[in-house]
Amino acid sequence: EKGYETAEHAPGLKLGGCGAYKAAHHIIKTHAKVWHSYNNTWRSEQQGMVGISLTTGWGEPVDPHSQTDRDAAERYIQFHLGWFANPIYRGDYPEIMKNYVGRKSAQQGLGTSRLPTFSVQEKTYIKGTSDFLGIGHFTTRYVIQKSFPFLQVSSYHTDRDLAELVDPKWPAPGPKWLYSVPWGFRRLLNFVKTQYGNPLIYVTENGVSEKVQCTQLCDEWRIEYLKGYINEILKALNDGVNVKGYTAWSLLDKFEWSKGFSERFGFYHIDFKNKNKPRYPKASVDYYKKIISANGFPNPREVTS
């Protein structure tokens, strides 16, 4: 969407209303081909696994008692995670995506939907092509119904007929898009469990960047973020969600998409101005080390002893 709709990321194309859908269509088919290639050629010898990693937020209805808000939140997650996961786990795009994009395409006078279709053979070929689901997750949004007139220039965002809101009380330690909402993670993981048959899950990305460079390396907000989100994963495990592993994002400050080196997610601060790029541990390093060594939250008495 950022590469083929808004042109925010490479390749920087503004193909409104169709570019992102076409790109995703090719990604899904290519992923399936890679999975089958491994499955047919190397799996018997190597006993490895091939999955896909999908980064997604969680959408929570503003009013849980409102059917329109609940429907809007459902569209948020289906247009986000379901867009890729549904074909892989169920064989086709989510019905809600097909209905909304199809209807809006017809209103625009288009003969076919801007959302491409899979043939019967492709659906069969794609379904089941993931030995695990990688989940990247950073934040949550409240979601409300918002209708966009069909005369507007079509886009992925207007196709969904929803607006995203945030609670001003949510901590926002990093960039303007990343609010700390740990409870959203448990709900997302449970959604994956019920929607896709409780697949094996690896959390492939979860973390927070800093809004301002912390020269004292005192990233307490990252410690709080990690504590909250990892705790919700443990609750999801108790719910029966099949989470096998967790990867914090990220080990080092690094090149971050269109933000370059300005957005820092790392446990280790990198001095990019120094030609040797020295690394300095932030406060979160010591905290995360203790979690790793205890494989969970350590007992405070054990830490002090």
Side-chain angles (χ1 to χ4, degrees):
E1 181 258 331
K2 285 182 167 62
Y4 293 86
E5 287 247 350
T6 66
E8 200 178 319
H9 290 172
L13 300 177
K14 286 190 175 180
L15 306 172
C18 62
Y21 295 137
K22 283 182 180 175
H25 201 67
H26 290 307
I27 287 169
I28 293 162
K29 291 203 287 185
T30 307
H31 162 79
K33 187 159 188 174
V34 171
W35 187 91
H36 281 286
S37 173
Y38 185 84
N39 194 54
N40 297 334
T41 311
W42 294 289
R43 188 189 297 276
S44 58
E45 182 187 335
Q46 296 178 352
Q47 299 298 308
M49 293 197 301
V50 177
I52 192 165
S53 181
L54 304 174
T55 300
T56 179
W58 173 249
E60 183 75 13
V62 168
D63 178 3
H65 303 293
S66 159
Q67 188 61 49
T68 54
D69 283 5
R70 289 206 304 273
D71 291 345
E74 174 77 10
R75 285 197 302 281
Y76 175 89
I77 197 74
Q78 292 294 0
F79 266 81
H80 212 155
L81 175 66
W83 183 8
F84 294 86
N86 222 73
I88 290 167
Y89 284 95
R90 293 180 154 196
D92 199 3
Y93 291 121
E95 286 300 316
I96 199 96
M97 268 190 98
K98 294 197 289 185
N99 293 342
Y100 267 70
V101 182
R103 190 179 74 247
K104 296 205 172 208
S105 300
Q107 288 171 342
Q108 292 172 295
L110 301 175
T112 56
S113 174
R114 288 181 281 102
L115 183 71
T117 55
F118 295 113
S119 68
V120 174
Q121 291 88 346
E122 285 171 339
K123 289 177 186 176
T124 307
Y125 188 72
I126 292 163
K127 187 177 180 182
T129 57
S130 208
D131 304 318
F132 66 88
L133 179 60
I135 289 286
H137 175 72
F138 295 90
T139 194
T140 284
R141 292 289 184 270
Y142 279 124
V143 181
I144 195 167
Q145 159 77 25
K146 180 184 180 182
S147 296
F148 290 92
F150 65 84
L151 293 173
Q152 277 190 309
V153 177
S154 61
S155 77
Y156 164 77
H157 279 284
T158 56
D159 281 342
R160 304 178 301 168
D161 275 354
L162 59 87
E164 300 173 33
L165 307 170
V166 297
D167 186 333
K169 293 193 283 291
W170 287 346
K176 62 177 184 284
W177 63 271
L178 210 173
Y179 293 80
S180 180
V181 196
W183 53 261
F185 203 5
R186 182 185 184 184
R187 296 184 187 201
L188 171 65
L189 291 168
N190 272 282
F191 174 88
V192 169
K193 174 191 168 190
T194 55
Q195 197 83 0
Y196 307 124
N198 202 14
L200 175 63
I201 294 173
Y202 286 93
V203 177
T204 44
E205 291 186 32
N206 174 242
V208 67
S209 59
E210 44 247 44
K211 205 179 283 181
V212 291
Q213 190 174 318
C214 187
T215 49
Q216 287 80 36
L217 307 174
C218 49
D219 57 346
E220 297 93 348
W221 63 86
R222 185 172 282 108
I223 290 171
E224 285 305 308
Y225 180 97
L226 290 165
K227 185 190 292 182
Y229 276 76
I230 292 170
N231 194 35
E232 292 298 318
I233 297 171
L234 291 171
K235 291 178 189 175
L237 279 167
N238 285 335
D239 298 334
V241 180
N242 191 11
V243 183
K244 186 75 172 177
Y246 173 84
T247 309
W249 194 258
S250 59
L251 177 66
L252 308 168
D253 291 337
K254 61 187 178 351
F255 188 82
E256 184 64 31
W257 300 94
S258 56
K259 304 291 185 204
F261 297 105
S262 64
E263 199 166 314
R264 295 170 178 266
F265 276 88
F267 284 124
Y268 285 84
H269 173 84
I270 310 293
D271 183 357
F272 291 113
K273 291 175 182 169
N274 186 314
K275 67 177 172 58
N276 294 321
K277 308 288 186 289
R279 307 165 182 185
Y280 304 99
K282 302 173 188 176
S284 52
V285 166
D286 193 49
Y287 180 75
Y288 194 55
K289 272 182 183 173
K290 289 169 182 170
I291 289 178
I292 291 170
S293 59
N295 195 28
F297 291 111
N299 184 316
R301 282 185 300 243
E302 290 172 11
V303 172
T304 51
S305 64

